[in-house]
């Protein structure tokens, strides 16, 4: 840093800060001064016209004790002109003095009124400075008439509510992810320690220990892949590609036939063309997670119903399954990361608790709407409505809305 810049710093810092209150006061004073000057000029012009319209010399001749026979016409005219100029000069001088003092008073009153008008804004600024990441639960809660400032305060309160929810979700996600990753790591360490501490270890026992370590590593790899998919879904889409939900569903169902047969589950399909646009890879993850969730949480001898259709404005994918009864109040919980309906969320070793949260993130990235509701007798019906692909324009930029309201199920497709 040069000496010049160091010397210039205090000068720059010492300059008076141009505040909104100061600018408003300057505007008030300037507008009043301009209005007063215009009024003075109009008044002055009217007085001049009055003198010209009513001849001063005639008025002087008609004055008591003075007449044109007493003094000459030229002298009367000269006196009239002099009196005219004197009156106008006096009028101008006194009006200018009055305008000066009133303009000064208007500046003082403008400063006071601007301060009163901006007092809610100062309250908003002071409170917003005091709110930090540790106190996002605080709100401005500005009272008063419904004007622009209260609307601004309400907007900031809404922003703080969204930030609080995002921070809370982030902390919960980090804690849950750390717990989910710690469990297989601890299992690997215990297996390795037990194998190494066994003095009579054999090749078979060591092989078994290594296989268990590899299985635990595969679980970690699966969890990391799910977290990466969740992060990609939450980051949004950079480009849109056309795809058909029916084609994605057929591809996934072809690879899930063996799993369905193993669990003695019937796959019922009603796949009609449903064109949309977005990321085919993420949409495939969405459909796969929905179908896997329907297969995983089912009952022996049950079924899974998959359908696609096109409505006036949406391409819709619907997955419904039989299974345990799902409380309507717990549906929101299913779409949160690492949340399960079982009291012990690690009781199911083959589930990560990320399937439906990935579905929600991918649907939000595609501006799709999710409707989930429990089915009578058990199971769940989930409907994802993507914006319908347009041939001439991209998908409209509208917010993804997730609604999960329990309603009677609709009719599903025919058996495959």
């Amino acid at each position: 840093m040069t000496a010049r810049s160091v010397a210039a710093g205090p000068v720059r810092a010492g300059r008076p800060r141009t505040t909104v209150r100061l600018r408003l006061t300057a505007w008030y004073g300037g507008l009043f001064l301009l209005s007063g000057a215009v009024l003075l000029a109009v008044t002055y012009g009217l007085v001049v016209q009055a003198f010209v319209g009513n001849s001063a010399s005639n008025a002087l001749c008609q004055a008591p004790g003075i007449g044109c026979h007493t003094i000459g016409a030229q002298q009367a005219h000269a006196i009239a002109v002099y009196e005219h100029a004197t009156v106008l000069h006096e009028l101008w001088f006194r009006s200018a003095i009055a305008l000066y003092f009133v303009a000064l008073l208007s500046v003082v009153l403008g400063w006071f009124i601007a301060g009163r008008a901006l007092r809610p804004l100062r309250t908003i600024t002071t409170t917003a400075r005091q709110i930090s990441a540790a106190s996002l639960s605080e709100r401005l809660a500005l009272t008063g008439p419904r004007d622009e400032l209260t609307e601004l305060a309400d907007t900031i309160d809404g922003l703080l509510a969204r930030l609080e929810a995002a921070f809370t979700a982030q902390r919960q996600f980090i804690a849950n992810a750390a717990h989910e990753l710690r469990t297989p790591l601890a299992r690997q360490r215990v297996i390795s320690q037990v194998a190494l501490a066994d003095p009579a270890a054999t090749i078979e026992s060591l092989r078994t220990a290594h296989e268990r370590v590899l299985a635990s590593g595969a679980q970690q790899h699966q969890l990391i892949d799910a977290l990466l998919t969740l992060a990609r879904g939450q980051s949004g889409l950079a480009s849109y590609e056309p795809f058909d939900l029916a084609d994605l569903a057929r591809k996934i169902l072809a690879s899930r036939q063996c799993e369905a047969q193993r669990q003695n589950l019937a796959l019922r399909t009603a796949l009609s063309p449903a064109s949309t646009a977005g990321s085919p890879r993420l949409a495939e993850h969405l459909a796969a997670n929905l179908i896997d969730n329907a297969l995983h949480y089912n009952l022996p001898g049950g079924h899974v119903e998959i359908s696609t259709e096109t409505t006036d404005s949406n391409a819709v994918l619907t997955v419904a399954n039989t299974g345990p009864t799902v409380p309507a109040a717990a549906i929101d919980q299913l779409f949160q990361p690492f949340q399960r309906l079982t009291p012990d969320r690690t009781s199911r070793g083959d589930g990560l608790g990320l399937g439906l949260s990935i579905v929600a993130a991918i649907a939000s990235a595609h501006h799709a709407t999710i409707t989930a509701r429990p089915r009578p007798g058990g199971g769940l019906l989930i409907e994802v409505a993507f914006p319908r692909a347009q041939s001439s324009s991209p998908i409209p930029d509208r917010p993804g809305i997730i609604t999960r309201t329990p309603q009677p199920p609709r009719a599903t497709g025919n058996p495959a």
Side-chain angles (χ1 to χ4, degrees):
M1 183 180 293
T2 63
R4 181 177 179 182
S5 61
V6 171
V11 176
R12 218 177 271 120
R15 292 176 181 173
R17 188 165 61 100
T18 304
T19 61
V20 176
R21 186 178 186 182
L22 184 61
R23 290 199 298 268
L24 286 176
T25 303
W27 275 104
Y28 293 155
L31 288 175
F32 186 87
L33 183 61
L34 179 62
S35 301
V38 171
L39 180 62
L40 177 59
V42 171
T43 304
Y44 186 81
L46 292 175
V47 173
V48 170
Q49 288 183 357
F51 271 100
V52 173
N54 186 14
S55 176
S57 60
N58 293 335
L60 186 61
C61 290
Q62 296 173 3
I66 300 178
C68 291
H69 63 278
T70 307
I71 60 175
Q74 272 189 327
Q75 290 179 345
H77 181 70
I79 293 173
V81 170
Y82 176 77
E83 291 292 340
H84 182 195
T86 302
V87 171
L88 291 179
H89 182 278
E90 189 71 14
L91 174 64
W92 180 264
F93 180 73
R94 294 188 180 185
S95 299
I97 293 177
L99 179 63
Y100 172 78
F101 283 105
V102 175
L104 185 62
L105 179 62
S106 70
V107 170
V108 175
L109 292 177
W111 177 264
F112 176 75
I113 293 173
R116 294 272 299 184
L118 294 175
R119 183 178 299 173
L121 188 59
R122 291 197 299 271
T123 303
I124 293 174
T125 303
T126 303
T127 308
R129 284 176 178 171
Q130 295 173 352
I131 296 175
S132 63
S135 59
L136 287 175
S137 59
E138 298 182 14
R139 297 293 181 269
L140 300 177
L142 188 65
T143 58
R146 298 299 303 174
D147 54 12
E148 290 83 354
L149 293 177
T150 53
E151 289 180 1
L152 174 62
D154 292 342
T155 302
I156 294 177
D157 284 341
L159 175 62
L160 291 174
R162 292 191 295 272
L163 284 175
E164 182 184 13
F167 271 77
T168 303
Q170 182 187 34
R171 295 189 187 102
Q172 182 180 6
F173 179 83
I174 292 173
N176 290 333
H179 181 88
E180 294 288 341
L181 288 171
R182 183 178 59 185
T183 301
L185 287 174
R187 186 183 302 116
Q188 287 181 356
R189 184 175 65 252
V190 170
I191 292 173
S192 300
Q193 289 174 346
V194 170
L196 292 175
D198 185 5
T202 63
I203 294 178
E204 290 299 326
S205 64
L206 292 176
R207 181 186 297 277
T208 302
H210 279 79
E211 289 176 350
R212 295 175 64 187
V213 169
L214 289 176
S216 181
Q219 183 181 1
Q220 294 179 57
H221 188 272
Q222 183 183 5
L223 175 59
I224 292 173
D225 285 343
L227 291 174
L228 289 175
T229 303
L230 179 62
R232 284 195 297 267
Q234 291 174 338
S235 63
L237 303 180
S239 61
Y240 287 86
E241 301 177 22
F243 61 88
D244 191 344
L245 292 174
D247 293 339
L248 295 182
R250 290 190 187 94
K251 178 180 177 182
I252 296 167
L253 288 172
S255 62
R256 301 302 193 273
Q257 290 287 346
C258 295
E259 178 67 18
Q261 293 176 1
R262 186 182 67 83
Q263 298 187 40
N264 191 24
L265 298 175
L267 296 178
R268 302 177 180 179
T269 62
L271 303 179
S272 302
S275 298
T276 183
S279 170
R281 182 179 179 185
L282 288 179
E284 184 176 347
H285 277 292
L286 179 145
N289 283 347
L290 286 178
I291 295 173
D292 289 341
N293 185 78
L295 290 172
H296 184 74
Y297 299 99
N298 215 313
L299 299 175
H303 60 267
V304 177
E305 302 165 348
I306 306 98
S307 65
T308 57
E309 62 178 344
T310 300
T311 62
D312 293 338
S313 58
N314 294 326
V316 183
L317 169 66
T318 304
V319 177
N321 69 308
T322 54
T325 302
V326 180
I331 292 182
D332 280 335
Q333 177 185 348
L334 295 176
F335 287 84
Q336 301 300 320
F338 302 109
Q339 297 297 315
R340 303 181 181 92
L341 293 182
T342 54
D344 182 8
R345 57 192 181 87
T346 60
S347 60
R348 297 290 297 270
D350 51 350
L352 298 174
L354 285 172
L356 292 183
S357 62
I358 291 174
V359 169
I362 296 175
S364 178
H366 286 79
H367 310 290
T369 301
I370 298 179
T371 303
R373 52 182 176 266
R375 303 182 65 189
L380 194 66
L381 183 146
I382 300 178
E383 180 182 275
V384 185
F386 291 81
R388 187 175 177 180
Q390 304 294 330
S391 57
S392 59
S393 60
I395 295 297
D397 186 13
R398 63 174 185 174
I401 303 173
I402 299 178
T403 59
R404 310 178 188 104
T405 55
Q407 297 176 0
R410 65 177 190 178
T412 54
N414 299 321

